[in-house]
């Protein structure tokens, strides 16, 4: 499989054992079911060819490192050898040292058909700029005034963004040259050298600031002379990266990435819930001038450049900047019916003309927009910057003006409407946006789709903007989680409460509608022009107990917390317990739900449970099981309910670190107390199996076989084994590389024990997707 490799890192170089340290020999096998073919690794063959004295073929007396990789897929092609460092004659070396190193030209290799743009999924953007995504390597080519000498010459790259670049803020990046690239850091490595030209592979972290960067190359020698610098005539644009697992906007479904990042045409819904209309909208995020316009909006917002690393900040700023209120943003809202001095909102059919007009006028707001126009432009800007986004329409959409989380209608003593109090309203439809990101600033389970609304309705922290609000938080009524969750909750799930004024001036409820708002929440389906109903993402089934619990939970954090009757008592508790270290992957997951009645009266409730797969970032992938459990408790009784998730229901659903979230909710019948509990747990990964081979005797070679099977259906990236045993062998690393889903890795360690007695050979596996994978073997070593 391309990318699979074997590297050993330890105290001695490959094939050499200075100081008389016992030799180590490693055999590695990556085995898929039904696979029989054996191939020597390409790196191994190249190493033997370049240095036969250090890398002989294995025989009965050698203690060299050996790799055997068995794969279903054809072996990777032999990589081109890295160029040998130039070794000039003594006279030439002196002459080169006398010529001060400088850069003649920089080629950013920014062609739309080139490797950079293709690999970074930016080939659709107009123009020939270098447009890249963070967390991914890219290449540039430098032409120098003479050949580069790695022994004496020094070189680094400077990237700067924003009006006042600072290293401490991540807006001035100094990129050093290194021998090996590592993930999650700025680094550069020479990958080709041809005369005066060198090609660099440059790596960026997935947390890099997004925006426009200027590039300067600085050169000097080891003599300590002043550096020479050369600035690139072209800039680099850094975008968010939904293809990168480490980026907080990572979206793991390729069809969804194509829809929510790369699709430049969409559908926006309008009308009424019984007469849903659809119009095609040209998002045009790759059109000429649109990327420049989006970057201009970020600059005009006065957001510090360092803030552009966090998509939560960026989305919040975009929400404010798409409307013209407060900050001379893109669009002026107009609902008057008179559009004679501008363009009618209904006349627009796309975002391109609006954004280009705003940019070319140096930030003069464009007239006019209504909700679907604000949403269409927001989708364009977010997709252009690399943040997955979609336009969403809510029918019967409430506008809560006083944070009561209810839609209130007031009447006088004669049941005549009191107009000056009736500021809340219900729109036939309202269009906003969903954007996709992890939310490390919120409790686990609240990443994923976030609601963001650029239509100016209410201020948020003094500015007309809204979001990002976790859709999962909205669904469960957790309106205390930022940003603007109460407002969006009221739009989709507030009750319509009717109030009558009493003779003493107070108001009393006389009627309520529980299903008045939040119907047929719609967005364009993935890979088709059909309408997808996503109401279930925003709210529990209308009228269900879970939905009622969410509404009443939310209202308690609003300006009228007593709208719904408070519980008469709160004397029932619910908690989740697990035995030992918790469920093990590959078996049924079992947890215990402990329900206690602390009162002297009987209590009844129905517990609603659902379990969802969760990424390590806190994003929920999807619910895999739902249950209802009736519970009856005698006075002062405790009950333990065994909860089971069968292996068959999760075996093909797990991601990352095999994390799950169990959510429980219920209401006590006698007291109306609301019960709620969220528990995250991890399915324990399998241990490494270590099997000693042969007799353990001081000074005599023996072996141990280490076996690991990837329990996940997805690729494990950058797998590394760490092996050590006091008195058996020194600690070292074996870099395995990528391991396919359900593949088995077999590692055979050959070593010579140096100390007698009971010993332990310890091994661990390290990679981002799986943690706490380890094993141990007890070995009794005999005297010789």
């Amino acid at each position: 499989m391309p990318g699979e490799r074997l590297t050993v890192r330890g105290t001695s170089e490959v094939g050499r054992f200075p100081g008389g340290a016992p030799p180590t020999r490693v055999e590695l096998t990556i085995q898929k079911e039904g696979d029989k073919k054996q191939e020597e690794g390409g790196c191994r063959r190249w190493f033997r060819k370049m240095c036969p004295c250090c890398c002989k073929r294995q025989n009965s007396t050698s203690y060299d490192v050996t790799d055997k990789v068995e794969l279903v897929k054809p072996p990777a092609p032999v990589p081109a050898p890295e160029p040998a460092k130039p070794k000039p004659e003594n006279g030439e070396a002196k002459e080169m040292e006398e010529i001060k190193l400088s850069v003649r030209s920089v080629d950013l290799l920014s062609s739309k058909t080139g490797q950079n743009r293709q690999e970074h999924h930016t080939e659709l953007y107009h123009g020939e700029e270098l447009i890249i995504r963070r967390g991914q390597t890219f290449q540039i080519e430098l032409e120098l005034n003479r050949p580069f000498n790695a022994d004496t010459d020094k070189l680094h790259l400077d990237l700067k963004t924003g009006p006042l670049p600072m290293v401490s803020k991540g807006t001035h990046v100094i990129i050093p040259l290194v021998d090996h690239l590592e993930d999650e850091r700025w680094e550069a490595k020479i990958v080709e050298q041809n005369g005066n030209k060198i090609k660099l592979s440059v790596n960026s972290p997935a947390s890099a600031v997004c925006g426009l960067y200027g590039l300067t190359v600085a050169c000097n020698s080891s003599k300590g002379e002043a550096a020479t610098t050369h600035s690139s005539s072209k800039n680099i644009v850094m975008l968010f990266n939904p293809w990168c697992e480490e980026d907080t906007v990572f979206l793991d479904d390729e069809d969804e990435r194509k829809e929510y990042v790369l699709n430049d045409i969409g559908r926006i819904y309008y009308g009424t819930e019984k007469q849903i209309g659809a119009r095609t909208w040209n998002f045009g995020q790759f059109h000429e001038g649109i990327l420049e316009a989006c970057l201009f909006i970020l600059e005009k917002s006065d957001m510090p450049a360092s803030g552009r690393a966090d998509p939560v900040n960026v989305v919040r700023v975009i929400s404010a900047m798409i409307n013209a209120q407060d900050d001379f943003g893109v669009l002026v809202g107009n609902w008057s019916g008179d559009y004679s001095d501008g363009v009618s909102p209904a006349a627009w059919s796309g975002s391109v003309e609006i954004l280009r007009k705003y940019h070319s006028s140096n930030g003069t707001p464009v007239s006019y927009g209504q909700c679907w126009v604000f949403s269409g432009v927001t989708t364009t800007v977010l997709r252009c910057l690399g943040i997955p986004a979609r336009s969403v329409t809510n029918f019967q959409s409430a506008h809560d003006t006083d944070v009561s989380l209810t839609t209130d209608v007031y009447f006088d003593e004669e049941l005549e409407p009191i107009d000056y109090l009736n500021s809340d309203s219900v729109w036939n439809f309202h269009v906003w946006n969903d954007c996709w990101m992890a939310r490390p600033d919120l409790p686990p389970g609240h990443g994923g789709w976030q609601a963001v609304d650029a239509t100016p309705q209410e201020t948020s922290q003094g500015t007309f903007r809204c979001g990002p609000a976790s859709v999962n938080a909205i669904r469960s009524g957790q309106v205390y989680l930022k940003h603007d969750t109460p407002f969006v909750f009221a739009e989709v799930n507030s009750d319509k409460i009717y109030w009558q004024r009493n003779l003493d001036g107070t108001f009393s409820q006389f009627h309520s509608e529980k299903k008045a708002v939040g119907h047929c929440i719609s967005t364009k389906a993935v890979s088709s022009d059909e309408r997808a109903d996503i109401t279930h993402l925003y709210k529990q089934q209308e009228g269900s107990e879970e939905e009622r619990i969410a509404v009443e939970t939310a209202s308690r954090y609003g300006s009228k917390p007593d709208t719904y009757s408070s519980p008469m008592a709160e004397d029932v508790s619910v908690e989740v317990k697990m035995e030992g270290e918790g469920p093990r992957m590959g078996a049924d997951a079992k947890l215990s739900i402990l329900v206690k009645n602390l009162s002297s009266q009987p209590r009844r409730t129905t517990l609603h449970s659902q379990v969802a797969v969760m990424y390590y970032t806190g994003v929920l992938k999807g619910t895999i099981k739902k249950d209802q459990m009736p519970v009856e408790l005698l006075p002062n009784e405790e009950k333990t309910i065994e909860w089971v998730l069968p292996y068959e229901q999760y075996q093909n659903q797990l991601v990352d670190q095999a994390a799950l979230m169990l959510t429980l909710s219920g209401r006590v019948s006698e007291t109306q107390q609301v019960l709620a509990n969220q528990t995250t747990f991890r399915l324990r990964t399998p241990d490494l199996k270590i099997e000693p081979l042969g007799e353990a005797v001081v000074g005599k070679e023996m072996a141990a076989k280490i076996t690991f099977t990837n329990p996940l259906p997805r690729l494990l990236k950058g797998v590394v084994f760490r092996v050590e045993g006091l008195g058996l062998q020194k600690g070292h690393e074996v870099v395995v590389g990528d391991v396919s889903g359900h593949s088995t890795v077999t590692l055979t360690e050959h070593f010579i024990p140096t100390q007698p007695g009971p010993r332990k050979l310890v091994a661990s596996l390290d990679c981002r997707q799986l943690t706490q994978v380890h094993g141990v073997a007890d070995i009794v070593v005999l005297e010789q």
Side-chain angles (χ1 to χ4, degrees):
M1 174 175 174
E4 287 179 336
R5 62 198 184 280
L6 171 68
T7 309
V8 175
R9 295 197 288 258
T11 54
S12 61
E13 294 183 49
V14 173
R16 300 176 187 173
F17 306 100
T24 298
R25 179 152 50 88
V26 181
E27 297 175 9
L28 172 70
T29 304
I30 302 178
Q31 178 73 50
K32 294 182 182 178
E33 191 175 347
D35 188 12
K36 301 295 182 185
K37 189 173 179 180
Q38 281 194 354
E39 271 290 339
E40 184 183 45
C43 294
R44 172 72 188 169
R45 293 198 297 274
W46 172 78
F47 193 30
R48 180 182 293 113
K49 187 185 297 182
M50 294 300 292
C51 192
C53 63
C54 294
C55 195
K56 299 175 182 176
R57 289 193 178 275
Q58 180 185 339
N59 56 41
S60 58
T61 58
S62 74
Y63 293 110
D64 201 358
V65 176
T66 306
D67 66 73
K68 303 175 186 175
V69 183
E70 300 184 3
L71 302 165
V72 171
K73 294 183 180 179
V78 178
E82 292 187 20
K85 295 177 183 176
K87 296 181 179 178
E89 299 292 332
N90 286 339
E92 291 178 2
K94 287 180 182 177
E95 189 177 332
M96 281 177 61
E97 286 178 13
E98 290 170 3
I99 302 174
K100 196 172 185 179
L101 184 68
S102 63
V103 177
R104 286 179 174 166
S105 65
V106 177
D107 186 350
L108 295 182
L109 306 176
S110 58
S111 165
K112 285 199 282 189
T113 58
Q115 179 183 356
N116 281 336
R117 297 276 295 269
Q118 294 283 331
E119 288 184 352
H120 286 250
H121 306 94
T122 60
E123 70 275 12
L124 295 174
Y125 288 87
H126 188 273
E128 296 292 324
E129 300 298 316
L130 179 55
I131 306 166
I132 55 175
R133 299 187 188 275
R134 64 185 190 176
Q136 200 171 331
T137 56
F138 62 95
Q139 281 71 44
I140 64 172
E141 202 167 73
L142 308 179
E143 184 180 356
L144 308 173
N145 63 328
R146 61 168 172 79
F148 184 83
N149 184 344
D151 294 327
T152 58
D153 293 329
K154 295 183 179 179
L155 180 151
H156 73 265
L157 309 180
D158 264 325
L159 283 177
K160 295 180 180 180
T161 185
L164 187 64
M166 296 174 65
V167 173
S168 61
K169 301 287 188 182
T171 52
H172 176 193
V173 182
I174 301 170
I175 306 176
L177 276 187
V178 296
D179 294 329
H180 302 285
L181 293 179
E182 295 185 26
D183 290 340
E184 283 301 286
R185 61 181 65 184
W186 284 104
E187 292 175 326
K189 176 187 176 185
I190 298 175
V191 290
E192 284 182 25
Q193 184 164 351
N194 185 10
N196 289 3
K197 286 188 175 181
I198 58 173
K199 181 184 276 190
L200 301 180
S201 185
V202 185
N203 197 37
S204 68
S207 56
V209 169
C210 293
L212 192 68
Y213 284 85
L215 170 67
T216 300
V217 186
C219 308
N220 60 5
S221 69
S222 54
K223 291 181 176 180
E225 347 174 285
T228 64
T229 60
H230 179 93
S231 296
S232 169
S233 59
K234 285 186 177 181
N235 292 320
I236 296 173
V237 180
M238 180 73 76
L239 304 176
F240 293 97
N241 193 351
W243 283 265
C244 173
E245 287 190 39
E246 288 75 30
D247 198 319
T248 47
V249 302
F250 171 65
L251 185 60
D252 74 341
D253 185 286
E254 179 60 22
D255 288 338
E256 291 186 354
R257 287 193 292 253
K258 287 178 180 175
E259 181 67 51
Y260 299 133
V261 183
L262 300 180
N263 194 352
D264 56 3
I265 298 176
R267 305 273 277 174
I268 297 179
Y269 298 93
Y270 64 95
T272 68
E273 61 179 299
K274 293 182 179 177
Q275 295 173 300
I276 297 177
R279 62 181 301 163
T280 298
W281 192 268
N282 175 25
F283 297 122
Q285 66 266 34
F286 306 117
H287 200 280
E288 183 178 4
I290 297 305
L291 178 57
E292 291 83 351
C294 294
L295 295 174
F296 171 74
I297 291 170
L298 287 180
E299 288 174 19
K300 199 168 186 302
S301 72
D302 290 331
M303 173 176 61
S306 57
R308 297 197 302 256
D310 183 357
V312 175
N313 287 343
V314 170
V315 164
R316 193 145 172 77
V317 165
I318 294 301
S319 167
M321 285 299 299
I322 297 304
N323 69 72
Q325 240 115 329
D326 316 311
D327 44 28
F328 296 99
V330 178
L331 274 164
V332 179
N334 186 343
W335 288 265
S336 70
D338 178 8
Y339 315 114
S340 55
D341 56 345
V343 177
S344 165
W348 301 113
S349 59
S351 309
V352 171
E353 185 182 349
I354 294 168
L355 287 168
R356 291 179 68 177
K357 192 171 182 179
Y358 181 71
H359 187 203
S360 63
S361 67
N362 198 34
T364 301
V366 178
S367 301
Y368 287 107
Q370 291 182 8
C371 63
W372 66 90
V373 188
F374 288 111
S375 173
V377 174
T378 300
T379 299
T380 299
V381 175
L382 294 182
R383 288 186 183 180
C384 185
L385 296 175
I387 300 173
R390 62 191 184 188
S391 290
V392 171
T393 303
N394 177 39
F395 293 93
Q396 294 297 103
S397 185
H399 179 177
D400 175 24
T401 58
D402 61 358
V403 203
S404 66
L405 292 111
T406 54
T407 302
D408 300 302
V409 186
Y410 294 95
F411 297 85
D412 64 16
E413 296 85 347
E414 306 299 324
L415 289 181
E416 292 292 328
I418 306 174
D419 291 338
Y420 74 91
L421 290 180
N422 289 329
S423 54
D424 287 358
S425 59
V426 177
W427 302 19
N428 283 343
F429 73 95
H430 180 46
V431 189
W432 62 74
N433 294 83
D434 280 346
C435 59
W436 180 274
M437 65 182 72
R439 289 297 298 270
D441 58 323
L442 299 182
H446 293 96
W449 288 117
Q450 314 289 314
V452 55
D453 193 349
T455 300
Q457 296 180 87
E458 298 294 324
T459 58
S460 171
Q461 294 176 311
T463 301
F464 280 96
R465 57 187 167 188
C466 180
S470 165
V471 172
N472 285 333
I474 294 163
R475 186 173 189 264
S476 60
Q478 293 173 287
V479 295
Y480 45 84
L481 297 174
K482 59 184 182 183
H483 293 279
D484 308 311
T485 311
F487 185 80
V488 185
F489 178 90
E491 288 182 301
V492 299
N493 207 12
S494 58
D495 287 350
K496 197 170 186 179
I497 308 289
Y498 294 80
W499 303 85
Q500 183 177 16
R501 186 166 60 196
N502 301 316
L503 293 174
D504 62 359
T506 61
F507 285 86
S508 300
Q509 289 187 47
F510 70 91
H511 181 61
S512 67
E513 292 179 49
K514 294 181 171 58
K515 300 179 182 180
V517 305
H519 301 165
C520 304
I521 303 176
S522 303
T523 191
K524 178 187 171 299
V526 173
S527 306
S528 85
D529 283 338
E530 297 299 310
R531 181 180 71 89
D533 191 307
I534 57 170
T535 308
H536 64 285
L537 297 181
Y538 273 87
K539 58 199 292 189
Q540 301 277 4
Q541 184 177 350
E542 197 75 75
S544 68
E545 189 170 51
E546 299 104 307
E547 186 259 348
R548 288 289 88 200
I549 289 172
V551 170
E552 295 183 28
T553 299
S555 75
R556 295 199 178 107
Y557 295 93
S559 59
K560 296 178 182 173
D562 300 323
T563 299
Y564 302 94
S565 57
S566 298
M568 291 178 284
E570 296 191 349
D571 48 27
V572 176
S573 66
V574 59
E575 62 179 309
V576 176
K577 294 190 172 184
M578 61 180 78
E579 284 188 20
E581 296 180 341
R584 182 182 290 275
M585 189 183 297
D588 293 350
K590 297 179 181 179
L591 300 175
S592 297
I593 302 170
L594 181 63
V595 189
K596 295 181 182 179
N597 178 8
L598 303 176
S599 79
S600 56
Q601 301 293 323
R603 296 288 183 249
R604 288 178 298 116
T605 185
T606 297
L607 280 180
H608 303 269
S609 73
Q610 67 176 48
V611 63
V613 174
M614 189 170 72
Y615 292 93
Y616 74 94
T617 56
V619 175
L620 296 180
K621 180 188 177 190
T623 300
I624 55 176
K625 185 190 179 192
K626 296 179 79 171
D627 272 325
Q628 290 186 14
M629 297 167 281
V631 182
E632 294 189 9
L633 297 167
L634 296 173
N636 298 303
E637 183 183 12
E638 293 185 9
K639 267 191 178 176
T640 299
I641 302 167
E642 297 301 326
W643 180 88
V644 180
L645 175 64
Y647 170 70
E648 292 74 21
Q649 285 190 254
Y650 73 75
Q651 61 175 333
N652 295 319
Q653 305 291 330
L654 299 179
V655 295
D656 294 334
Q657 298 179 17
L660 297 156
M661 174 178 278
L662 174 64
T663 300
L664 300 172
S665 64
R667 189 200 302 273
V668 179
S669 302
E670 292 81 2
T671 63
Q672 300 303 298
Q673 176 190 352
V674 168
L675 304 174
N677 180 284
Q678 282 192 319
T679 303
T680 58
F681 64 97
R682 185 177 65 87
L683 294 168
R684 290 176 54 214
T685 47
D687 293 333
L688 295 179
K689 296 179 181 176
I690 305 179
E691 180 187 355
L693 304 175
E695 190 178 23
V697 178
V698 172
K700 181 181 177 183
E701 181 185 337
M702 67 171 297
K705 185 168 74 172
I706 305 170
T707 306
F708 164 74
T709 299
N710 177 6
L712 299 184
R714 65 183 304 187
L715 182 76
L716 299 182
K717 296 179 71 175
V719 173
V720 176
F721 280 85
R722 291 182 172 84
V723 187
E724 69 174 304
L726 296 176
L728 299 173
Q729 66 173 49
K730 290 187 176 181
H732 66 279
E733 293 182 345
V734 180
V735 179
V736 177
D738 298 345
V739 177
S740 301
H742 300 307
S743 292
T744 297
V745 177
T746 302
L747 182 72
T748 304
E749 288 277 324
H750 297 261
F751 53 91
I752 297 177
T754 58
Q755 296 179 22
R759 299 289 160 193
K760 291 182 183 292
L761 184 67
V762 180
S764 64
L765 177 147
D766 183 40
C767 76
R768 186 174 181 83
Q769 295 86 0
L770 283 178
T771 59
Q772 304 300 331
V773 179
H774 44 78
V776 62
D778 291 307
I779 299 175
V780 178
V781 180
L782 304 175
E783 290 278 11
Q784 194 168 13

